Amino acid sequence: MVFVIFPCFISCQNQSDKEHKSIKIIKYDITSLMGDGVTNSSGIQVGIELELKDNFSFEQDLMYIFGLDKNDIGYFEIDVENVYGLKSVSELRYYLKHGIEPKLTGVYLAPNLILQYTNALRKQLDENHISNSYHVNRFVFALHGKLGIQFVLYKNLFLDISAGFGIRYISSNSFGEKNDYISEYEYPYNKTYNTGSNWFPSITGGFRLGYKL
């Protein structure tokens, strides 16, 4: 009898653990290909969403930003020789409908916090047409309220689409710049790229592909 009951107990215990196991979704954000959003750059952003409780989850993404060839400069992009940086995206999500299977699907609301730092290499010509290289450090803090929807594409493959509105603080300064010959403005912000700081209205969005572990 013991040899029958004990295996059954272990089996039931394992089943219970599986039922209460927290869901984890690994994600890749396609919009990270846009880079820092203001220079000829691109990026790779990956993250993970962790189920908490009571329809809450937490998502943390990290993005590596790198420069693109200058032939790829867009119409509204700031011209840099090279750029590198990091971006952190944190979200605490609340899914509106209870009891949906699979979990972490449906419409959700989330505060969205963005921290980003980049260092760009730029060149200028002085009054004697002598080339000078200098660096621009740029920091971004942004806080948004987001509305999104996440659903299953196929089996364990998820799609997460979101958009949000909030505020953004941008601060930048240059090192080694001889004179203020370059006064390019960031689009769509009315701020010079090389120097200055200010608060701006801000929008954000995401288009993430996820895989449930």
Side-chain angles (χ1 to χ4, degrees):
M1 179 66 70
V2 174
F3 291 102
V4 174
I5 295 176
F6 186 72
C8 290
F9 174 79
I10 295 297
S11 176
C12 292
Q13 185 67 35
N14 289 339
Q15 184 65 31
S16 177
D17 291 342
K18 288 181 181 179
E19 290 177 356
H20 292 87
K21 186 177 181 181
S22 176
I23 295 175
K24 302 177 182 65
I25 304 176
I26 300 294
K27 297 186 182 180
Y28 165 69
D29 194 338
I30 298 174
T31 61
S32 63
L33 294 173
M34 298 173 61
D36 66 5
V38 294
T39 66
N40 48 305
S41 62
S42 187
I44 300 175
Q45 179 174 316
V46 294
I48 184 169
E49 181 179 5
L50 303 173
E51 178 191 6
L52 301 178
K53 63 177 183 178
D54 300 328
N55 285 40
F56 282 96
S57 73
F58 177 76
E59 175 152 345
Q60 178 62 55
D61 290 21
L62 290 176
M63 174 179 171
Y64 176 67
I65 301 168
F66 53 89
L68 288 179
D69 189 279
K70 294 184 65 175
N71 293 329
D72 297 324
I73 296 176
Y75 184 76
F76 294 108
E77 291 179 339
I78 300 293
D79 178 18
V80 297
E81 296 296 317
N82 196 12
V83 62
Y84 64 89
L86 293 174
K87 177 181 179 181
S88 168
V89 182
S90 307
E91 296 178 5
L92 179 63
R93 299 183 171 193
Y94 175 71
Y95 288 85
L96 299 184
K97 290 189 177 181
H98 293 255
I100 292 181
E101 291 294 339
K103 294 182 178 180
L104 304 186
T105 57
V107 177
Y108 65 85
L109 301 173
N112 164 269
L113 174 65
I114 295 176
L115 299 173
Q116 178 180 292
Y117 168 79
T118 54
N119 179 284
L121 173 65
R122 308 199 70 189
K123 288 186 177 181
Q124 66 180 166
L125 294 176
D126 62 19
E127 65 274 12
N128 298 316
H129 298 282
I130 298 175
S131 179
N132 175 58
S133 296
Y134 64 98
H135 290 268
V136 176
N137 290 322
R138 184 173 180 269
F139 174 76
V140 177
F141 164 87
L143 185 63
H144 307 93
K146 286 184 64 178
L147 173 66
I149 183 170
Q150 182 161 262
F151 53 90
V152 177
L153 281 179
Y154 178 73
K155 293 186 177 180
N156 289 336
L157 188 63
F158 284 60
L159 181 61
D160 178 7
I161 304 172
S162 61
F165 178 80
I167 56 174
R168 180 178 301 249
Y169 177 78
I170 305 174
S171 178
S172 59
N173 55 77
S174 62
F175 292 90
E177 186 179 11
K178 288 187 175 180
N179 292 289
D180 297 329
Y181 292 110
I182 302 176
S183 58
E184 296 160 289
Y185 284 80
E186 302 179 14
Y187 180 85
Y189 313 109
N190 186 29
K191 175 196 168 301
T192 55
Y193 177 75
N194 286 358
T195 60
S197 59
N198 210 339
W199 291 90
F200 303 93
S202 177
I203 59 174
T204 188
F207 195 84
R208 298 179 173 108
L209 289 174
Y211 184 81
K212 185 175 71 172
L213 300 177

